Amino acid sequence: MSRISKVERSEVTPDLAVLFDKIYAQRGNVPNMFRTMAHRPEIFSTMMAHFAAVLNTGTVSTKLKELIIVRTSQINSTPYCLASHTILARNLGWSDDQLSNLAQWPTREDFTLAEKAALRLAETVTLDANNVSDEQFAELKSYYDDGEIVELLCSIGLFNYFNRFNNALQMEPTKPGEGGCAALSIEKESTAPPVETVASC
């Protein structure tokens, strides 16, 4: 059980309720981590904007970002993040074998050299960012431009933050339907609600 409470939709301001509903419409739940952060609305709302920018903008593929997120979360032993991001990575095209045996990436032939450079970065930064050598950085720059390196580091850094937040709070994985209003949860059992229903509950 998580060490602190999760904020219910009925407890938030109208502005935050809109954000809750947007997340629910996209994911089918409002993740427990987000509902916990909602104890401080300013942190929650700005974190959501940052999360979207890191994952959904730039020129590095979301597929690669999810791969390094999974590796970062594996190193940090974070069941909460792995529960959702392993599924996301699989849905983007990574195989169960690749994800289950991701620690063996250096010897595998089904990752490109560019993907391996990103995975090496995820491991080094997560274990000790001071150990990114000049040689490693030169290798990284042979595959990625400056903006892409920023994207990779922000993805790794963001999930080191999330991993530590969730591990410290013993965050439990979110179940389908959690975080919406009670009426929506009942409707969901029989039919998928339209976005309008989500926003008006």
Side-chain angles (χ1 to χ4, degrees), residues 77-174:
S77 300
T78 308
Y80 177 85
C81 293
L82 287 170
S84 57
H85 288 275
T86 300
I87 294 171
L88 290 170
R90 185 186 304 120
N91 290 343
L92 288 167
W94 301 111
S95 71
D96 286 332
D97 182 61
Q98 286 174 313
L99 297 171
S100 297
N101 299 289
L102 194 50
Q104 281 74 54
W105 64 263
T107 59
R108 295 184 67 106
E109 297 182 355
D110 51 357
F111 294 116
T112 67
L113 292 177
E115 290 163 354
K116 288 185 176 185
L119 285 163
R120 183 174 293 109
L121 183 69
E123 290 193 351
T124 307
V125 170
T126 299
L127 293 169
D128 186 349
N130 292 303
N131 286 335
V132 178
S133 66
D134 290 341
E135 292 76 16
Q136 180 179 355
F137 201 76
E139 175 197 37
L140 195 65
K141 290 206 70 168
S142 70
Y143 299 110
Y144 303 101
D145 65 29
D146 288 356
E148 290 169 334
I149 292 171
V150 168
E151 288 183 64
L152 293 171
L153 285 170
C154 284
S155 299
I156 296 162
L158 183 63
F159 274 82
N160 271 292
Y161 161 27
F162 286 175
N163 290 167
R164 285 160 174 76
F165 182 89
N166 290 310
N167 285 347
L169 293 179
Q170 298 181 353
M171 196 72 66
E172 48 200 0
T174 312

Side-chain angles (χ1 to χ4, degrees), residues 37-70:
M37 285 189 174
H39 280 288
R40 288 294 176 265
E42 297 83 1
I43 293 175
F44 171 58
S45 58
T46 56
M47 181 275 295
M48 287 304 305
H50 185 61
F51 178 75
V54 170
L55 270 293
N56 301 322
T57 67
T59 55
V60 175
S61 70
T62 303
K63 180 180 179 181
L64 179 56
K65 290 175 184 176
E66 287 293 349
L67 184 71
I68 62 175
I69 285 166
V70 169

